[in-house]
PDB file of all heavy atoms in Angstrom:
ATOM      1  N   ILE A1231      80.748 145.880  43.886  1.00  0.00           N
ATOM      2  CA  ILE A1231      81.809 145.349  42.982  1.00  0.00           C
ATOM      3  C   ILE A1231      82.600 146.546  42.430  1.00  0.00           C
ATOM      4  O   ILE A1231      82.158 147.294  41.601  1.00  0.00           O
ATOM      5  CB  ILE A1231      81.199 144.510  41.874  1.00  0.00           C
ATOM      6  CG1 ILE A1231      80.346 143.380  42.425  1.00  0.00           C
ATOM      7  CG2 ILE A1231      82.315 143.977  41.045  1.00  0.00           C
ATOM      8  CD1 ILE A1231      79.587 142.636  41.329  1.00  0.00           C
ATOM      9  N   PRO A1232      83.906 146.622  42.834  1.00  0.00           N
ATOM     10  CA  PRO A1232      84.768 147.662  42.299  1.00  0.00           C
ATOM     11  C   PRO A1232      84.964 147.554  40.820  1.00  0.00           C
ATOM     12  O   PRO A1232      84.821 146.469  40.228  1.00  0.00           O
ATOM     13  CB  PRO A1232      86.087 147.421  42.976  1.00  0.00           C
ATOM     14  CG  PRO A1232      85.752 146.714  44.191  1.00  0.00           C
ATOM     15  CD  PRO A1232      84.594 145.798  43.849  1.00  0.00           C
ATOM     16  N   ILE A1233      85.136 148.672  40.120  1.00  0.00           N
ATOM     17  CA  ILE A1233      85.303 148.640  38.643  1.00  0.00           C
ATOM     18  C   ILE A1233      86.647 148.079  38.291  1.00  0.00           C
ATOM     19  O   ILE A1233      86.830 147.219  37.392  1.00  0.00           O
ATOM     20  CB  ILE A1233      85.105 150.054  38.096  1.00  0.00           C
ATOM     21  CG1 ILE A1233      83.662 150.514  38.331  1.00  0.00           C
ATOM     22  CG2 ILE A1233      85.528 150.146  36.638  1.00  0.00           C
ATOM     23  CD1 ILE A1233      83.420 151.927  37.967  1.00  0.00           C
ATOM     24  N   ASP A1234      87.724 148.484  39.014  1.00  0.00           N
ATOM     25  CA  ASP A1234      89.037 147.935  38.779  1.00  0.00           C
ATOM     26  C   ASP A1234      89.860 148.237  40.034  1.00  0.00           C
ATOM     27  O   ASP A1234      90.454 149.342  40.217  1.00  0.00           O
ATOM     28  CB  ASP A1234      89.690 148.650  37.618  1.00  0.00           C
ATOM     29  CG  ASP A1234      91.054 148.125  37.228  1.00  0.00           C
ATOM     30  OD1 ASP A1234      91.590 147.252  38.034  1.00  0.00           O
ATOM     31  OD2 ASP A1234      91.654 148.465  36.180  1.00  0.00           O
ATOM     32  N   PRO A1235      90.021 147.225  40.915  1.00  0.00           N
ATOM     33  CA  PRO A1235      90.758 147.415  42.172  1.00  0.00           C
ATOM     34  C   PRO A1235      92.204 147.802  41.998  1.00  0.00           C
ATOM     35  O   PRO A1235      92.860 148.275  42.941  1.00  0.00           O
ATOM     36  CB  PRO A1235      90.581 146.014  42.880  1.00  0.00           C
ATOM     37  CG  PRO A1235      89.438 145.423  42.283  1.00  0.00           C
ATOM     38  CD  PRO A1235      89.439 145.899  40.830  1.00  0.00           C
ATOM     39  N   ASP A1236      92.801 147.479  40.816  1.00  0.00           N
ATOM     40  CA  ASP A1236      94.224 147.690  40.630  1.00  0.00           C
ATOM     41  C   ASP A1236      94.554 148.989  39.870  1.00  0.00           C
ATOM     42  O   ASP A1236      95.644 149.232  39.549  1.00  0.00           O
ATOM     43  CB  ASP A1236      94.832 146.513  39.906  1.00  0.00           C
ATOM     44  CG  ASP A1236      94.728 145.229  40.615  1.00  0.00           C
ATOM     45  OD1 ASP A1236      94.907 145.226  41.816  1.00  0.00           O
ATOM     46  OD2 ASP A1236      94.447 144.197  39.962  1.00  0.00           O
ATOM     47  N   TRP A1237      93.477 149.839  39.574  1.00  0.00           N
ATOM     48  CA  TRP A1237      93.702 151.011  38.778  1.00  0.00           C
ATOM     49  C   TRP A1237      94.494 152.040  39.418  1.00  0.00           C
ATOM     50  O   TRP A1237      94.478 152.236  40.666  1.00  0.00           O
ATOM     51  CB  TRP A1237      92.277 151.553  38.481  1.00  0.00           C
ATOM     52  CG  TRP A1237      92.359 152.757  37.478  1.00  0.00           C
ATOM     53  CD1 TRP A1237      92.287 152.621  36.152  1.00  0.00           C
ATOM     54  CD2 TRP A1237      92.311 154.081  37.792  1.00  0.00           C
ATOM     55  NE1 TRP A1237      92.325 153.931  35.567  1.00  0.00           N
ATOM     56  CE2 TRP A1237      92.366 154.774  36.536  1.00  0.00           C
ATOM     57  CE3 TRP A1237      92.313 154.743  39.006  1.00  0.00           C
ATOM     58  CZ2 TRP A1237      92.326 156.236  36.520  1.00  0.00           C
ATOM     59  CZ3 TRP A1237      92.313 156.224  38.951  1.00  0.00           C
ATOM     60  CH2 TRP A1237      92.387 156.886  37.747  1.00  0.00           C
ATOM     61  N   GLN A1238      95.345 152.743  38.653  1.00  0.00           N
ATOM     62  CA  GLN A1238      96.135 153.816  39.192  1.00  0.00           C
ATOM     63  C   GLN A1238      95.885 155.025  38.282  1.00  0.00           C
ATOM     64  O   GLN A1238      95.653 154.931  37.081  1.00  0.00           O
ATOM     65  CB  GLN A1238      97.606 153.415  39.117  1.00  0.00           C
ATOM     66  CG  GLN A1238      97.994 152.317  40.051  1.00  0.00           C
ATOM     67  CD  GLN A1238      99.451 152.019  40.069  1.00  0.00           C
ATOM     68  OE1 GLN A1238     100.246 152.572  39.319  1.00  0.00           O
ATOM     69  NE2 GLN A1238      99.906 151.163  40.973  1.00  0.00           N
ATOM     70  N   ILE A1239      96.076 156.292  38.892  1.00  0.00           N
ATOM     71  CA  ILE A1239      95.927 157.477  38.166  1.00  0.00           C
ATOM     72  C   ILE A1239      96.961 157.514  37.013  1.00  0.00           C
ATOM     73  O   ILE A1239      98.199 157.434  37.354  1.00  0.00           O
ATOM     74  CB  ILE A1239      96.014 158.701  39.021  1.00  0.00           C
ATOM     75  CG1 ILE A1239      94.841 158.709  40.103  1.00  0.00           C
ATOM     76  CG2 ILE A1239      95.988 159.952  38.248  1.00  0.00           C
ATOM     77  CD1 ILE A1239      95.013 159.765  41.128  1.00  0.00           C
ATOM     78  N   PRO A1240      96.612 157.709  35.805  1.00  0.00           N
ATOM     79  CA  PRO A1240      97.589 157.707  34.692  1.00  0.00           C
ATOM     80  C   PRO A1240      98.509 159.062  34.873  1.00  0.00           C
ATOM     81  O   PRO A1240      97.962 160.101  35.034  1.00  0.00           O
ATOM     82  CB  PRO A1240      96.798 157.808  33.435  1.00  0.00           C
ATOM     83  CG  PRO A1240      95.461 158.300  33.838  1.00  0.00           C
ATOM     84  CD  PRO A1240      95.250 157.859  35.268  1.00  0.00           C
ATOM     85  N   ALA A1241      99.759 158.817  34.697  1.00  0.00           N
ATOM     86  CA  ALA A1241     100.713 160.010  34.782  1.00  0.00           C
ATOM     87  C   ALA A1241     100.766 160.823  33.536  1.00  0.00           C
ATOM     88  O   ALA A1241     100.403 160.232  32.451  1.00  0.00           O
ATOM     89  CB  ALA A1241     102.099 159.447  35.117  1.00  0.00           C
ATOM     90  N   SER A1242     101.046 162.083  33.669  1.00  0.00           N
ATOM     91  CA  SER A1242     101.137 162.890  32.490  1.00  0.00           C
ATOM     92  C   SER A1242     102.262 162.377  31.585  1.00  0.00           C
ATOM     93  O   SER A1242     103.323 161.868  32.084  1.00  0.00           O
ATOM     94  CB  SER A1242     101.503 164.347  32.946  1.00  0.00           C
ATOM     95  OG  SER A1242     101.808 165.086  31.784  1.00  0.00           O
ATOM     96  N   ASP A1243     102.009 162.431  30.279  1.00  0.00           N
ATOM     97  CA  ASP A1243     103.048 161.971  29.306  1.00  0.00           C
ATOM     98  C   ASP A1243     104.011 163.065  28.859  1.00  0.00           C
ATOM     99  O   ASP A1243     104.876 162.853  27.974  1.00  0.00           O
ATOM    100  CB  ASP A1243     102.403 161.309  28.071  1.00  0.00           C
ATOM    101  CG  ASP A1243     101.479 162.316  27.334  1.00  0.00           C
ATOM    102  OD1 ASP A1243     101.503 163.466  27.723  1.00  0.00           O
ATOM    103  OD2 ASP A1243     100.753 161.878  26.450  1.00  0.00           O
ATOM    104  N   GLY A1244     103.868 164.163  29.590  1.00  0.00           N
ATOM    105  CA  GLY A1244     104.889 165.301  29.278  1.00  0.00           C
ATOM    106  C   GLY A1244     104.734 165.949  27.927  1.00  0.00           C
ATOM    107  O   GLY A1244     105.685 166.541  27.417  1.00  0.00           O
ATOM    108  N   GLN A1245     103.505 165.840  27.390  1.00  0.00           N
ATOM    109  CA  GLN A1245     103.341 166.464  26.040  1.00  0.00           C
ATOM    110  C   GLN A1245     103.475 167.964  26.130  1.00  0.00           C
ATOM    111  O   GLN A1245     103.072 168.612  27.110  1.00  0.00           O
ATOM    112  CB  GLN A1245     101.992 166.105  25.461  1.00  0.00           C
ATOM    113  CG  GLN A1245     101.736 164.671  25.174  1.00  0.00           C
ATOM    114  CD  GLN A1245     100.369 164.390  24.525  1.00  0.00           C
ATOM    115  OE1 GLN A1245     100.324 164.258  23.315  1.00  0.00           O
ATOM    116  NE2 GLN A1245      99.372 164.425  25.296  1.00  0.00           N
ATOM    117  N   SER A1246     104.057 168.593  25.112  1.00  0.00           N
ATOM    118  CA  SER A1246     104.206 170.009  25.124  1.00  0.00           C
ATOM    119  C   SER A1246     102.940 170.677  24.738  1.00  0.00           C
ATOM    120  O   SER A1246     101.978 170.048  24.227  1.00  0.00           O
ATOM    121  CB  SER A1246     105.334 170.408  24.106  1.00  0.00           C
ATOM    122  OG  SER A1246     104.966 170.020  22.807  1.00  0.00           O
ATOM    123  N   GLN A1247     102.772 172.012  25.005  1.00  0.00           N
ATOM    124  CA  GLN A1247     101.582 172.672  24.671  1.00  0.00           C
ATOM    125  C   GLN A1247     101.417 172.737  23.145  1.00  0.00           C
ATOM    126  O   GLN A1247     102.354 172.820  22.366  1.00  0.00           O
ATOM    127  CB  GLN A1247     101.647 174.108  25.207  1.00  0.00           C
ATOM    128  CG  GLN A1247     101.529 174.153  26.735  1.00  0.00           C
ATOM    129  CD  GLN A1247     101.149 175.552  27.188  1.00  0.00           C
ATOM    130  OE1 GLN A1247     101.106 176.492  26.358  1.00  0.00           O
ATOM    131  NE2 GLN A1247     100.797 175.714  28.446  1.00  0.00           N
ATOM    132  N   ALA A1248     100.107 172.588  22.769  1.00  0.00           N
ATOM    133  CA  ALA A1248      99.823 172.600  21.329  1.00  0.00           C
ATOM    134  C   ALA A1248     100.034 173.949  20.776  1.00  0.00           C
ATOM    135  O   ALA A1248     100.019 174.964  21.435  1.00  0.00           O
ATOM    136  CB  ALA A1248      98.383 172.159  21.121  1.00  0.00           C
ATOM    137  N   THR A1249     100.261 174.071  19.489  1.00  0.00           N
ATOM    138  CA  THR A1249     100.452 175.318  18.841  1.00  0.00           C
ATOM    139  C   THR A1249      99.128 176.044  18.482  1.00  0.00           C
ATOM    140  O   THR A1249      99.140 177.172  18.075  1.00  0.00           O
ATOM    141  CB  THR A1249     101.214 175.180  17.521  1.00  0.00           C
ATOM    142  OG1 THR A1249     100.572 174.198  16.703  1.00  0.00           O
ATOM    143  CG2 THR A1249     102.638 174.631  17.847  1.00  0.00           C
ATOM    144  N   SER A1250      98.015 175.305  18.570  1.00  0.00           N
ATOM    145  CA  SER A1250      96.654 175.893  18.273  1.00  0.00           C
ATOM    146  C   SER A1250      95.571 175.166  18.965  1.00  0.00           C
ATOM    147  O   SER A1250      95.835 173.999  19.422  1.00  0.00           O
ATOM    148  CB  SER A1250      96.422 175.904  16.773  1.00  0.00           C
ATOM    149  OG  SER A1250      96.099 174.648  16.301  1.00  0.00           O
ATOM    150  N   ILE A1251      94.441 175.787  19.133  1.00  0.00           N
ATOM    151  CA  ILE A1251      93.336 175.131  19.783  1.00  0.00           C
ATOM    152  C   ILE A1251      92.913 173.840  18.927  1.00  0.00           C
ATOM    153  O   ILE A1251      92.533 172.816  19.436  1.00  0.00           O
ATOM    154  CB  ILE A1251      92.112 176.065  19.790  1.00  0.00           C
ATOM    155  CG1 ILE A1251      92.384 177.262  20.618  1.00  0.00           C
ATOM    156  CG2 ILE A1251      90.872 175.338  20.333  1.00  0.00           C
ATOM    157  CD1 ILE A1251      92.672 176.923  22.114  1.00  0.00           C
ATOM    158  N   ALA A1252      93.079 173.930  17.613  1.00  0.00           N
ATOM    159  CA  ALA A1252      92.773 172.782  16.713  1.00  0.00           C
ATOM    160  C   ALA A1252      93.643 171.611  17.082  1.00  0.00           C
ATOM    161  O   ALA A1252      93.125 170.483  16.987  1.00  0.00           O
ATOM    162  CB  ALA A1252      92.945 173.213  15.258  1.00  0.00           C
ATOM    163  N   ASP A1253      94.847 171.824  17.411  1.00  0.00           N
ATOM    164  CA  ASP A1253      95.737 170.702  17.860  1.00  0.00           C
ATOM    165  C   ASP A1253      95.235 170.021  19.094  1.00  0.00           C
ATOM    166  O   ASP A1253      95.245 168.773  19.192  1.00  0.00           O
ATOM    167  CB  ASP A1253      97.178 171.212  18.032  1.00  0.00           C
ATOM    168  CG  ASP A1253      97.817 171.651  16.818  1.00  0.00           C
ATOM    169  OD1 ASP A1253      97.441 171.213  15.751  1.00  0.00           O
ATOM    170  OD2 ASP A1253      98.752 172.509  16.891  1.00  0.00           O
ATOM    171  N   VAL A1254      94.746 170.786  20.062  1.00  0.00           N
ATOM    172  CA  VAL A1254      94.170 170.251  21.293  1.00  0.00           C
ATOM    173  C   VAL A1254      92.956 169.394  21.021  1.00  0.00           C
ATOM    174  O   VAL A1254      92.785 168.326  21.486  1.00  0.00           O
ATOM    175  CB  VAL A1254      93.914 171.385  22.308  1.00  0.00           C
ATOM    176  CG1 VAL A1254      93.187 170.834  23.507  1.00  0.00           C
ATOM    177  CG2 VAL A1254      95.093 172.149  22.681  1.00  0.00           C
TER     178      VAL A1254
END
């Protein structure tokens, strides 16, 4: 039984790099 036959890889939302590790 497939988990979700209609699933697609989510595309990147184009977020910019964080300014610190804490932001990530």
Side-chain angles (χ1 to χ4, degrees):
I1231 302 176
I1233 294 174
D1234 184 353
D1236 299 320
W1237 185 84
Q1238 295 182 353
I1239 297 175
S1242 172
D1243 58 8
Q1245 294 185 102
S1246 60
Q1247 290 198 350
T1249 57
S1250 73
I1251 300 298
D1253 292 335
V1254 175

